[in-house]
Amino acid sequence: MLKLHNLKMRYPNGDGLDGVNLEVRNGEFVYLVGPTGAGKTSVLKLIYMEEFPDEGYVLVDEYSSQDIRDKEIPYLRRKLGIIFQDFKLLEDRDVFENVAFVLRVTGARSRDIKKKTLRALGEVGLSHKSRKMPEELSGGEQQRVAIARAIVNEPFILLADEPTGNLDPKTAVEILSLLDKLNARGTAVLMATHNYELVNNTSKRIVSIKNGRTLN
Amino acid sequence: MLKLHNLKMRYPNGDGLDGVNLEVRNGEFVYLVGPTGAGKTSVLKLIYMEEFPDEGYVLVDEYSSQDIRDKEIPYLRRKLGIIFQDFKLLEDRDVFENVAFVLRVTGARSRDIKKKTLRALGEVGLSHKSRKMPEELSGGEQQRVAIARAIVNEPFILLADEPTGNLDPKTAVEILSLLDKLNARGTAVLMATHNYELVNNTSKRIVSIKNGRTLN
Amino acid sequence: MSLFFVLREGFGGLRHSRFSGFVATATVAISLILIGIFLIITVNLGKFVQFLRSRVELEVFLDDSFDEIKIQDLTDEIKRMEGVANLTFISKEMAIREFQNLFKDKQEDYFETLGYNPLPASFRVKLQDNYRTASGAEVVFKSLSSLEDIREEDIVYTREYLVILEKYIKFAIAIDFIVGIIVCLSALLLVSNNIRLIILSKNKIIETMKLVGATNFFIRTPLFIQGIVQGFLGGIISALFLYTLLKLAAIEIPGFISVDWRIYLLLANLGILLGFAGSFAAVRRYL
Amino acid sequence: MSLFFVLREGFGGLRHSRFSGFVATATVAISLILIGIFLIITVNLGKFVQFLRSRVELEVFLDDSFDEIKIQDLTDEIKRMEGVANLTFISKEMAIREFQNLFKDKQEDYFETLGYNPLPASFRVKLQDNYRTASGAEVVFKSLSSLEDIREEDIVYTREYLVILEKYIKFAIAIDFIVGIIVCLSALLLVSNNIRLIILSKNKIIETMKLVGATNFFIRTPLFIQGIVQGFLGGIISALFLYTLLKLAAIEIPGFISVDWRIYLLLANLGILLGFAGSFAAVRRYL
Ligand SMILES: Nc1ncnc2c1ncn2[C@@H]1O[C@H](COP(=O)(O)OP(=O)(O)OP(=O)(O)O)[C@@H](O)[C@H]1O
Ligand SMILES: Nc1ncnc2c1ncn2[C@@H]1O[C@H](COP(=O)(O)OP(=O)(O)OP(=O)(O)O)[C@@H](O)[C@H]1O
Ligand SMILES: [Mg+2]
Ligand SMILES: [Mg+2]
């Protein structure tokens, strides 16, 4: 269960969030839509606790922004799968190791690591690029590595920040159905996007955000 | 005038371009479309001469890939405006200085620099963020800084690599009409995109690329 | 967390940032070479000072009227004096022999002609280590001259030599000390700075690792390993370098001062310590 | 291209990477302090060696049978000898006076009783600077003993003292030399490494600058300025540090060796040179 309650948060320079309420139940799929600069990425940062609210609170499963200790944050993040808007690949290792890293930090056995990593890469259609370095990939390929890394550990909640911005429509549809499949297996998904078209044709719940406020 | 003739180019790991023919006449607006990994960004790299062809040649105005000297490359690039797919902002300076940098390298007078920079930032709707650092911007805002930097010097040719991937539809339309305006003033535009929908409604020339080959 | 992966990350880091690693290792090596030379200088400065000071002694000339009992009493009294290590009695006969030795028995017959021995007997007084200084010798000089039957004029020692020597020795020790401190501190600063720069250059990567669930321990351990391995390598290199250098010097300069082999062990260990302390300082501050 | 902007980029770089800049400056300062101390040691080691060696002289005892003409001839001959700086003639009378001085005129009457002077006249031979060594003295010793009328046994000098002294002096000079080279090389390596790391940490920014039309000159000049300014600051700091240190040392240790003020000028200039050479090496290789 994920819950953001009456959140306010201000960056040092004055921008920020100004009243965010959002709930994602276990296994639910929710879109977070809003124009550029509305605060979508900021909401996700609060969920994975890179930022902390000035008012209100964030609940992620058993962790609360009000009393989580620094030491617990890595364990919180291991329950999440995060597709970053700017990918954030590890530039010092190849595609395989980028994806495998999430498993390595948990101390998984190397046979499991190999199996799971290869499966995740297969699901985003990048098996043949597993030994390339991130800088040798096209924009869309990098984005799919970021996606593979987010889903490899079958997270409790998947946070996807504009996961199809660098993909052509056909690949985008494939990725979306991949997220659907994951969701069907029980992973809750919160996807930030400004792809209104995508959202218009969906039956899923939509939360709108504008100027740092969620609307109902 | 921009011309790519029978280009072949191979990256060390085997991928690359395999027969690219493309011509952009002065003042023309051309779309370069193709699925992810087709080679769009690679074509642009050949134009601004970060990569060089193994076969064929590139002509950009008076410069040819066959006989350009290292010393001339900066001057070639000053004739181009480039919107990079991954933005490539200078992280050590604020938005204003990022845009102004292109003018500073040409030795422009600081009054002109100020005027032109503020105008470019106004055109992408970021005047109010001119003193922010790149990392303090949302994805869409960063993309618009990259656009402002590419247009600030009224380039001879504008190379735009997926310039609306991080923008919501409304802002994307604004940016496209900005490019149109620039084109009307005489700048040639080559825009790489996989936004087929955008392309379907256009009267402009479209060049398709797939697996490193342009189709006719 | 798998130990194997952490080790691999550490050594992988070494392989990856090969040139940075080389410079870090070189920094440790250079620092340790300087520290090693500093140690060798210190040890040998000590020996040199001892050598120069061992030449310091006071000579007390004795009146011919002193009989054996008197001399025995004086011997006992002087031996008990503050600062006196030991003393040798030079009898009139020994003085003659030394005199004749000095003038190579050319004038063998002078003293025979003279019919008696004009040279006085004397004590040669050696000082305790810490009294072999201008002021220490002065103290002993005072005690000796306060003895009954011994006049100031009967006591001879090279006061001037001692004063000048002293000046240079103090200078050398002061410099030695200052250089030692500077070298040690700068070694630490440089090593820690190197790790810091490695951390800064990996800043984004480390940020990302944290965002995908890596613990601090997971991120730090490879850096420690890297620091320790580089430190150890630097230590080994410095030991080899100094060893070769001293061997070469010993060939060039026969009788060149030899060096305790334990210094090489010390350097290797200091390398590990430096590597660890440097990574620790940098990691504490920048992670 | 506007000079103003290039300067601003250079100084802006200093401000921006403040800690890196601090470490670069500190590196230069530490290196220069070591070089400065090395210079001071070298100068004073020279003085010290001169002091110790100035005590080296040979004494040649003369037969009583030599008349004034013979002695004049010998004087001329010895003065012309290779390695001899000058010589003093000590007549039999002067020898007596010295002898009496040594024994504090206690036995004033011995020689009177004796009826004649048993002490031989002698030459004290001072050596030229470069002959004040064990082998140099040996050369002169050989020449002297090859003289007619002079036997080997008539020539006296402190051979053993010279040999030991020599050993230490050679050791000190060798060490001094080695340390000097290491310090200079490592200073250059460290400074250039620092600029290199700054370049690497700015790698992406520099790449982007090139992509938007910056010339190499435009990118390099600020780095040179940065290097030179840091070098200059490091030079000033090292000069101030050494100045203070030596002043303090002079208070603690009266008669402490004084230092030529031009060394401070030299350090500041060396700083600039180091900064420039360091940036130059790094820029040539990594840009
Ligand atoms: N680290 C930061 N420091 C200061 N201001 C920030 C920071 N990150 C974001 N902002 C500001 O906060 C506002 C919201 O940014 P956010 O990144 O959440 O937008 P977004 O909805 O993700 O937009 P986009 O669709 O363009 O990515 C913007 O005005 C942005 O300038
Ligand atoms: N620096 C590089 N080294 C090696 N291979 C590369 C490099 N850059 C791109 N490639 C490969 O070349 C092919 C074309 O890449 P390019 O970036 O041109 O695609 P693109 O059309 O821009 O795709 P996208 O829409 O995803 O950005 C891809 O298969 C990619 O993996
Ligand atoms: Mg965003
Ligand atoms: Mg691309």
Side-chain angles (χ1 to χ4, degrees):
Chain A
M1 212 268 299
L2 169 68
K3 182 173 178 179
L4 285 74
H5 182 75
N6 272 340
L7 270 190
K8 297 198 177 174
M9 187 269 289
R10 214 136 278 297
Y11 290 113
N13 62 13
D15 293 313
L17 299 177
D18 230 3
V20 168
N21 285 288
L22 173 65
E23 200 165 336
V24 180
R25 281 179 296 276
N26 289 352
E28 205 183 2
F29 197 128
V30 176
Y31 283 110
L32 180 64
V33 296
T36 171
K40 304 181 290 298
T41 302
S42 302
V43 166
L44 299 186
K45 279 186 189 169
L46 282 158
I47 296 172
Y48 58 78
M49 305 213 181
E50 196 191 335
E51 300 285 346
F52 283 86
D54 300 322
E55 284 176 41
Y57 60 85
V58 181
L59 280 181
V60 186
D61 203 20
E62 79 243 42
Y63 300 104
S64 152
S65 65
Q66 290 175 313
D67 55 18
I68 193 169
R69 285 176 305 142
D70 276 0
K71 286 203 170 269
E72 292 172 329
I73 291 179
Y75 300 95
L76 155 67
R77 289 176 181 169
R78 288 180 194 178
K79 299 201 157 189
L80 306 174
I82 316 174
I83 305 168
F84 299 98
Q85 191 172 11
D86 54 355
F87 315 156
K88 292 198 197 296
L89 301 182
L90 301 167
E91 303 216 321
D92 64 342
R93 56 200 77 204
D94 65 20
V95 166
F96 181 92
E97 285 301 328
N98 261 278
V99 177
F101 188 83
V102 187
L103 300 170
R104 298 213 190 274
V105 295
T106 65
R109 289 207 325 242
S110 55
R111 278 178 76 204
D112 292 352
I113 290 176
K114 187 157 184 194
K115 210 177 64 192
K116 286 187 177 181
T117 302
L118 288 180
R119 193 175 58 209
L121 283 174
E123 285 184 313
V124 299
L126 280 183
S127 304
H128 59 300
K129 304 252 168 179
S130 70
R131 286 303 166 201
K132 282 200 170 189
M133 300 298 282
E135 57 174 13
E136 297 174 348
L137 298 179
S138 80
E141 287 160 354
Q142 288 180 17
Q143 188 157 43
R144 282 180 285 158
V145 176
I147 295 168
R149 184 178 62 186
I151 64 173
V152 69
N153 205 17
E154 312 211 327
F156 175 68
I157 303 173
L158 184 72
L159 305 176
D161 198 354
E162 205 64 61
T164 60
N166 279 275
L167 299 178
D168 59 83
K170 184 167 149 282
T171 315
V173 167
E174 284 167 20
I175 290 298
L176 286 178
S177 67
L178 175 62
L179 299 189
D180 270 342
K181 208 170 72 185
L182 219 73
N183 181 239
R185 275 192 252 144
T187 296
V189 179
L190 177 62
M191 176 165 156
T193 185
H194 40 56
N195 194 335
Y196 297 127
E197 197 199 351
L198 197 93
V199 171
N200 286 339
N201 307 328
T202 190
S203 57
K204 290 168 180 142
R205 189 150 68 87
I206 298 170
V207 175
S208 287
I209 183 168
K210 207 164 181 179
N211 291 327
R213 287 171 179 280
T214 48
L215 318 171
N216 291 336
Chain B
M1 213 267 299
L2 171 69
K3 182 171 179 180
L4 286 75
H5 181 73
N6 274 337
L7 270 189
K8 295 196 178 176
M9 188 268 291
R10 213 136 280 296
Y11 291 113
N13 62 14
D15 292 313
L17 299 177
D18 230 1
V20 167
N21 285 288
L22 173 65
E23 200 164 335
V24 179
R25 281 181 294 277
N26 288 354
E28 207 183 0
F29 196 128
V30 176
Y31 283 109
L32 180 64
V33 296
T36 169
K40 304 180 290 298
T41 302
S42 303
V43 167
L44 300 186
K45 278 185 189 168
L46 282 158
I47 296 172
Y48 57 80
M49 305 213 183
E50 196 190 334
E51 302 284 346
F52 283 88
D54 299 323
E55 284 177 39
Y57 60 85
V58 181
L59 280 181
V60 186
D61 203 21
E62 79 243 41
Y63 300 104
S64 152
S65 64
Q66 291 176 311
D67 55 18
I68 193 168
R69 285 177 304 143
D70 277 0
K71 284 203 172 270
E72 293 173 328
I73 291 180
Y75 300 96
L76 155 69
R77 289 177 182 167
R78 289 181 194 176
K79 297 201 157 190
L80 307 174
I82 315 173
I83 305 169
F84 299 98
Q85 191 173 10
D86 55 354
F87 315 156
K88 293 199 195 296
L89 301 182
L90 301 168
E91 303 216 322
D92 63 341
R93 58 200 76 202
D94 64 20
V95 167
F96 182 91
E97 285 300 327
N98 261 279
V99 177
F101 187 82
V102 187
L103 300 171
R104 298 213 191 272
V105 295
T106 65
R109 288 207 325 242
S110 54
R111 276 179 77 205
D112 292 351
I113 291 176
K114 188 159 184 193
K115 210 177 65 193
K116 287 187 177 182
T117 302
L118 289 180
R119 192 175 59 207
L121 284 174
E123 284 183 313
V124 299
L126 280 182
S127 304
H128 59 299
K129 304 250 168 180
S130 70
R131 287 304 165 200
K132 282 200 171 190
M133 299 299 282
E135 59 176 10
E136 297 174 347
L137 299 178
S138 80
E141 287 159 354
Q142 289 180 17
Q143 189 157 43
R144 282 180 285 158
V145 176
I147 296 167
R149 183 177 63 185
I151 64 173
V152 69
N153 206 18
E154 310 209 329
F156 173 68
I157 304 173
L158 184 73
L159 304 175
D161 198 353
E162 206 63 63
T164 59
N166 279 275
L167 299 178
D168 60 83
K170 186 166 149 280
T171 316
V173 167
E174 284 167 21
I175 291 298
L176 286 179
S177 65
L178 175 62
L179 298 190
D180 270 341
K181 209 169 73 187
L182 219 71
N183 180 237
R185 274 192 251 144
T187 297
V189 179
L190 177 62
M191 177 165 156
T193 185
H194 39 56
N195 194 336
Y196 296 128
E197 196 201 352
L198 197 91
V199 171
N200 285 340
N201 306 328
T202 191
S203 56
K204 290 169 179 141
R205 188 148 70 85
I206 299 171
V207 175
S208 287
I209 183 167
K210 208 163 180 179
N211 292 326
R213 287 171 179 279
T214 47
L215 319 171
N216 291 334
Chain C
M1 189 179 75
S2 101
L3 179 68
F4 173 71
F5 182 66
V6 169
L7 286 175
R8 213 186 51 172
E9 284 276 298
F11 286 93
L14 287 176
R15 233 185 329 110
H16 233 91
S17 50
R18 221 172 304 171
F19 191 84
S20 284
F22 164 74
V23 172
T25 307
T27 304
V28 176
I30 290 171
S31 305
L32 285 177
I33 288 170
L34 288 175
I35 290 178
I37 290 178
F38 163 74
L39 283 176
I40 295 173
I41 289 179
T42 306
V43 169
N44 284 292
L45 187 66
K47 283 192 199 164
F48 185 50
V49 167
Q50 268 179 350
F51 159 70
L52 289 175
R53 285 191 168 155
S54 69
R55 295 167 51 84
V56 173
E57 60 179 23
L58 293 89
E59 189 151 19
V60 183
F61 293 102
L62 305 175
D63 202 282
D64 284 358
S65 64
F66 294 176
D67 59 11
E68 253 181 60
I69 295 171
K70 174 86 191 167
I71 287 172
Q72 193 54 50
D73 286 354
L74 275 174
T75 305
D76 292 347
E77 204 163 351
I78 294 175
K79 267 194 178 151
R80 277 199 307 272
M81 267 179 192
E82 186 190 343
V84 172
N86 65 47
L87 80 177
T88 328
F89 174 66
I90 308 289
S91 68
K92 286 174 75 76
E93 290 69 38
M94 288 158 85
I96 286 266
R97 228 168 299 136
E98 274 196 1
F99 183 89
Q100 287 173 337
N101 232 9
L102 189 65
F103 298 116
K104 301 284 173 195
D105 59 1
K106 219 169 46 167
Q107 287 109 338
E108 206 168 340
D109 42 357
Y110 290 161
F111 295 110
E112 265 167 45
T113 316
L114 191 60
Y116 73 98
N117 181 348
L119 298 178
S122 65
F123 287 131
R124 299 242 169 95
V125 181
K126 289 258 180 218
L127 303 182
Q128 283 170 7
D129 282 3
N130 46 340
Y131 278 84
R132 288 172 179 173
T133 61
S135 56
E138 195 63 30
V139 166
V140 176
F141 174 78
K142 286 267 162 59
S143 322
L144 286 173
S145 56
S146 73
L147 283 175
E148 231 181 307
D149 306 315
I150 304 280
R151 288 175 306 167
E152 262 188 35
E153 311 92 75
D154 297 337
I155 310 170
V156 170
Y157 75 100
T158 53
R159 193 178 271 130
E160 199 191 322
Y161 172 77
L162 261 186
V163 168
I164 299 183
L165 192 64
E166 211 98 298
K167 196 168 102 176
Y168 280 102
I169 288 173
K170 271 186 185 151
F171 178 74
I173 290 176
I175 291 282
D176 191 52
F177 195 69
I178 291 166
V179 172
I181 290 179
I182 292 176
V183 166
C184 288
L185 283 184
S186 61
L188 207 67
L189 177 72
L190 292 175
V191 170
S192 138
N193 182 46
N194 229 310
I195 305 276
R196 183 185 72 88
L197 287 167
I198 291 172
I199 291 176
L200 287 187
S201 75
K202 284 190 172 182
N203 198 17
K204 280 219 166 144
I205 291 171
I206 290 173
E207 263 319 303
T208 302
M209 286 179 169
K210 286 186 182 172
L211 288 180
V212 299
T215 54
N216 273 336
F217 178 76
F218 188 89
I219 292 169
R220 286 175 185 185
T221 313
L223 287 170
F224 282 139
I225 293 176
Q226 217 172 320
I228 291 171
V229 170
Q230 285 168 351
F232 179 66
L233 284 179
I236 296 288
I237 290 172
S238 71
L240 288 177
F241 180 89
L242 273 186
Y243 178 79
T244 316
L245 199 82
L246 290 175
K247 272 278 171 284
L248 287 180
I251 292 171
E252 281 299 304
I253 307 168
F256 195 81
I257 272 78
S258 73
V259 168
D260 195 324
W261 62 271
R262 277 173 302 179
I263 205 171
Y264 303 122
L265 215 68
L266 182 69
L267 287 180
N269 283 316
L270 267 182
I272 296 178
L273 193 73
L274 260 184
F276 180 77
S279 349
F280 192 78
V283 163
R284 287 299 305 251
R285 239 179 95 85
Y286 297 99
L287 272 184
Chain D
M1 188 179 76
S2 103
L3 179 69
F4 173 71
F5 181 65
V6 169
L7 286 175
R8 214 185 54 172
E9 283 277 298
F11 285 94
L14 288 175
R15 232 184 332 108
H16 234 89
S17 51
R18 221 172 305 171
F19 192 84
S20 283
F22 163 73
V23 172
T25 307
T27 304
V28 176
I30 291 171
S31 305
L32 286 176
I33 288 170
L34 288 174
I35 290 178
I37 289 177
F38 163 73
L39 283 176
I40 295 172
I41 290 178
T42 307
V43 169
N44 284 292
L45 187 66
K47 283 193 200 164
F48 184 48
V49 167
Q50 269 180 347
F51 159 69
L52 289 175
R53 284 190 170 156
S54 69
R55 293 167 54 84
V56 173
E57 61 180 20
L58 291 91
E59 188 150 20
V60 183
F61 292 102
L62 305 175
D63 201 282
D64 283 358
S65 64
F66 293 177
D67 57 11
E68 251 181 64
I69 295 169
K70 175 89 189 163
I71 287 174
Q72 191 54 49
D73 286 353
L74 275 175
T75 305
D76 293 347
E77 206 163 349
I78 295 176
K79 266 195 177 150
R80 277 198 307 271
M81 268 178 190
E82 185 190 344
V84 172
N86 64 48
L87 80 177
T88 328
F89 173 67
I90 309 288
S91 69
K92 288 173 74 75
E93 290 71 39
M94 287 158 84
I96 287 267
R97 229 169 297 135
E98 273 195 2
F99 184 88
Q100 286 173 337
N101 232 7
L102 189 65
F103 296 117
K104 301 287 172 196
D105 60 1
K106 219 169 47 167
Q107 285 110 338
E108 207 167 338
D109 43 358
Y110 290 161
F111 295 108
E112 265 168 44
T113 317
L114 191 59
Y116 72 99
N117 182 348
L119 298 178
S122 66
F123 287 130
R124 300 242 167 95
V125 180
K126 289 261 179 218
L127 302 182
Q128 285 170 6
D129 282 2
N130 44 341
Y131 279 84
R132 289 174 179 171
T133 62
S135 56
E138 195 64 28
V139 167
V140 176
F141 175 78
K142 285 266 160 62
S143 323
L144 287 173
S145 56
S146 73
L147 283 175
E148 232 181 306
D149 306 315
I150 304 280
R151 289 176 305 169
E152 261 189 33
E153 310 92 78
D154 296 338
I155 309 169
V156 171
Y157 76 99
T158 51
R159 194 179 267 132
E160 201 191 322
Y161 172 77
L162 260 185
V163 168
I164 299 184
L165 191 64
E166 211 97 296
K167 196 168 100 177
Y168 279 102
I169 287 173
K170 272 187 186 151
F171 178 76
I173 289 175
I175 291 282
D176 189 51
F177 196 69
I178 293 165
V179 172
I181 290 178
I182 293 176
V183 166
C184 288
L185 283 184
S186 62
L188 207 66
L189 177 74
L190 292 174
V191 170
S192 139
N193 183 47
N194 229 311
I195 304 276
R196 185 185 70 88
L197 287 167
I198 290 172
I199 291 175
L200 287 187
S201 75
K202 282 191 173 183
N203 198 17
K204 282 221 164 143
I205 290 172
I206 289 173
E207 263 321 301
T208 301
M209 286 178 169
K210 286 185 180 172
L211 289 179
V212 299
T215 54
N216 273 335
F217 178 76
F218 189 89
I219 292 169
R220 286 175 184 185
T221 312
L223 287 170
F224 282 140
I225 293 176
Q226 218 172 319
I228 290 171
V229 170
Q230 286 168 351
F232 179 66
L233 285 179
I236 296 287
I237 290 171
S238 72
L240 287 178
F241 181 88
L242 273 186
Y243 178 79
T244 316
L245 199 81
L246 290 175
K247 272 277 172 289
L248 287 180
I251 291 171
E252 281 298 303
I253 307 168
F256 196 82
I257 272 77
S258 73
V259 168
D260 195 325
W261 63 270
R262 276 172 304 179
I263 205 170
Y264 303 122
L265 215 66
L266 182 69
L267 288 180
N269 283 316
L270 268 182
I272 296 178
L273 194 73
L274 261 183
F276 180 75
S279 346
F280 192 77
V283 163
R284 286 299 304 251
R285 239 179 97 84
Y286 297 97
L287 269 184

